[in-house]
Amino acid sequence: MEKEQLAVYFIAGTPNCLTTIEETLQAAIDGGIAMFQFREKGEGALTGERKKQIALRLQAKCKQAGIPFIINDDIALAIDIAADGVHIGQEDEPASVVREKIKGGIVGVSVHTMDEFEKAIADGADYVGTGPIYVTATKTDTRPVAGTTLIRKMKDKYPDFPIVGIGGITIENAEEVMKAGADGVSVITAISHAKNPKQAASQLKNVFSRTQ
Ligand code: TZP
Ligand code: MG
C-alpha cells in the first residue's frame, strides 16, 4: 500500500451513521477520503448475511472511487468478499496468522506501545493505527488517552513505516497529529456525525495537504 492512502482514513459501521452508511460513505468519498474501513460494532450492529450485503455495497463504492476497502476484525468476511484488507487489534488473531490468510492484501494493526509496534512490523503489518490520541466517546474499551508522544517515537525509529493516528481526532486537532509525524488520521465521528460529512472529509484532507 501507499502511505498517501492513510491521509484521511474514514472508519464506520451502521451504528455510527446519522443517515445510511452508504450515503455517509459516498459523502466522505466525495470529500476526498483515501481509505475506508467497515467496522460494524456496538449496539445495533449487523451480523451474518445482512452485514455481508452492506459490506458488498460499500465495497462497490470504494472500488468505483479507487480507494481501499478494509474490514475490521472479520477476517472470514474479508476473504469471502475479497476485501482489499483487514484491520485487527491486539485482542484479535495474531497479526502473523492474519498476514498468512490475507496474502497480498493490506493488514493494519492497532498498537499502543513501542513493543506492539515492532511486533506488528515483524509480523508483516502494512500499517499501524495508534491511539486513542484524544478522548473519544466512540470506543469505550480503549487504552488511556495517549497524545502524540508515541507517534513521534515510532517515527523517530521507523520513519518510513506507515502510521495513522486514531481516537478523538477532529478538524481542529488533526494538524497536531500530522505534525507529530503521522501519515494520516483515522476518524469515525469527525465525518460520520458531521453536519456535512463531505465538507468534513475535505477539511481533513486540507489539513493533511498543508502539513506536508
Ligand atoms: N480505536 C481507538 S479509538 C477508536 C478506535 C476504533 C474510536 C475512534 O472514533 P472517533 O469517533 O474518531 O474518536
Ligand atoms: Mg478488533
Side-chain angles (χ1 to χ4, degrees):
M1 68 170 291
E2 306 293 327
K3 269 201 280 215
E4 290 66 30
Q5 290 173 312
L6 294 175
V8 182
Y9 183 1
F10 179 44
I11 303 175
T14 57
N16 303 120
C17 297
L18 301 179
T19 58
T20 68
I21 190 168
E22 283 160 281
E23 268 180 82
T24 308
L25 174 59
Q26 190 58 55
I29 287 172
D30 293 343
I33 62 164
M35 188 143 120
F36 174 68
Q37 181 191 125
F38 181 45
R39 180 177 178 276
E40 188 64 9
K41 277 195 177 170
E43 220 184 296
L46 304 176
T47 56
E49 192 54 29
R50 288 180 70 201
K51 179 180 178 185
K52 178 176 169 178
Q53 288 311 318
I54 290 275
L56 284 168
R57 294 210 287 273
L58 301 176
Q59 180 183 35
K61 280 196 187 298
C62 290
K63 232 176 221 166
Q64 197 178 16
I67 65 168
F69 174 75
I70 307 296
I71 292 183
N72 184 285
D73 285 4
D74 197 338
I75 316 295
L77 177 62
I79 292 170
D80 183 18
I81 69 171
D84 296 305
V86 295
H87 185 95
I88 53 169
Q90 295 294 319
E91 296 76 22
D92 299 311
E93 267 185 276
S96 54
V97 175
V98 174
R99 172 76 281 164
E100 290 295 314
K101 290 188 184 176
I102 294 298
K103 305 202 169 71
I106 298 170
V107 176
V109 179
S110 292
V111 301
H112 316 89
T113 63
M114 204 64 186
D115 282 351
E116 288 177 1
F117 177 43
E118 292 185 329
K119 172 114 186 10
I121 296 175
D123 283 348
D126 295 292
Y127 75 91
V128 295
T130 189
I133 308 291
Y134 305 110
V135 175
T136 176
T138 310
K139 181 172 153 91
T140 46
D141 61 338
T142 64
R143 313 293 170 96
V145 169
T148 54
T149 313
L150 183 60
I151 293 180
R152 285 186 194 280
K153 278 192 196 147
M154 296 194 296
K155 273 291 167 184
D156 273 352
K157 202 160 174 192
Y158 301 91
D160 297 325
F161 195 85
I163 297 170
V164 71
I166 186 164
I169 298 175
T170 62
I171 291 147
E172 288 71 36
N173 62 26
E175 184 164 348
E176 190 185 12
V177 184
M178 305 283 193
K179 282 191 169 159
D183 298 291
V185 289
S186 25
V187 302
I188 298 179
T189 312
I191 292 178
S192 71
H193 283 196
K195 280 210 183 91
N196 184 336
K198 176 180 168 184
Q199 190 183 47
S202 150
Q203 285 172 331
L204 286 166
K205 194 180 170 185
N206 289 343
V207 175
F208 170 79
S209 304
R210 72 165 186 260
T211 48
Q212 295 311 293

